[in-house]
Amino acid sequence: MTLRLHGYWRSSTSYRVRIGLALKGLDYAQSPVNLLTGEHRSESYRAINPHGTVPMLETDHRPITQSLAILDWLEATHPSPSFLPDRDATLCRELYYAVATEQHAPLNPSVLKRLFGSDQAAKEGFYQFIVHRTFAPVEQRLAAHDWHSRDLPFGQPTLFEIVLIPQLYNARRWNVDLADVPQLAAIEAHCNTLPAFAQAHPNNQPDAN
Ligand SMILES: N[C@@H](CCC(=O)N[C@@H](CS)C(=O)NCC(=O)O)C(=O)O
């Protein structure tokens, strides 16, 4: 199978997919799409991906857009190791849906620009508000959860970590104070020691600068 990922090094949704591909042990080529110069809005890119977003994964059959659909496809076509735990899969889904949908969507650069123009302070304030609104309840759910292992709430990397780690990376870039989410910070520290997460890290991508 030939796979080609169209993504951007700092895009958190591209980062999700890179972690997923690495956890499944899959090789893939990369075609960087520069979000800063607007390559994702070009006619040629939109002809294949009308959403005009990254990531997009080209497969032998058809291109797939939307990071969660790509991760679902990876799970369906390469079931082992699974992205979901045997136990507590519903809690795992609850947590990753919260981070992926409630946190990521309103923090997209195009949304921030539309709301706040070039007012960086207003963007940062909004960013910090949205991050805390999502992370605080996730942290509480984790405190009440019987962790499957010392380092990971579900005993293995799951869709929760795949979605969480890129959002923590972004939160740090936006100067969000993460002192009140120590469990999330500990999960991040652990994941960053794992080869799949290190390989997928933005700094290790061909278009990183
Ligand atoms: N729901 C989509 C969101 C994709 C998305 O918003 N990607 C961002 C980068 S993280 C993007 O391409 N933004 C371009 C823009 O906002 O113009 C997914 O999960 O793939």
Side-chain angles (χ1 to χ4, degrees), residues 10-14 16 35 40-41 52-55 65-68 104 108-111 170:
R10 273 190 157 159
S11 143
S12 57
T13 47
S14 305
R16 285 177 195 168
L35 297 186
H40 56 302
R41 289 191 295 268
T53 52
V54 291
T65 70
Q66 295 291 330
S67 59
L68 297 182
H104 177 269
N108 212 309
S110 56
V111 176
N170 269 2

Side-chain angles (χ1 to χ4, degrees), residues 31-127:
S31 287
V33 178
N34 191 331
L35 297 186
L36 299 185
T37 59
E39 276 178 20
H40 56 302
R41 289 191 295 268
S42 70
E43 247 178 65
S44 55
Y45 187 72
R46 277 181 179 269
I48 322 173
N49 176 6
H51 297 285
T53 52
V54 291
M56 171 172 72
L57 186 69
E58 281 189 69
T59 71
D60 290 340
H61 305 291
R62 63 175 70 87
I64 313 171
T65 70
Q66 295 291 330
S67 59
L68 297 182
I70 296 170
L71 291 165
D72 284 348
W73 180 83
L74 288 175
E75 179 73 358
T77 52
H78 299 82
S80 183
S82 178
F83 286 158
L84 284 167
D86 290 339
R87 272 190 299 130
D88 298 322
T90 301
L91 177 65
C92 178
R93 286 194 179 92
E94 172 193 316
L95 301 183
Y96 89 79
Y97 287 158
V99 178
T101 63
E102 293 178 11
Q103 181 173 125
H104 177 269
L107 298 180
N108 212 309
S110 56
V111 176
L112 295 177
K113 190 169 174 208
R114 174 88 185 189
L115 289 174
F116 304 111
S118 56
D119 185 343
Q120 192 60 20
K123 284 185 194 174
E124 271 195 20
F126 181 74
Y127 206 103

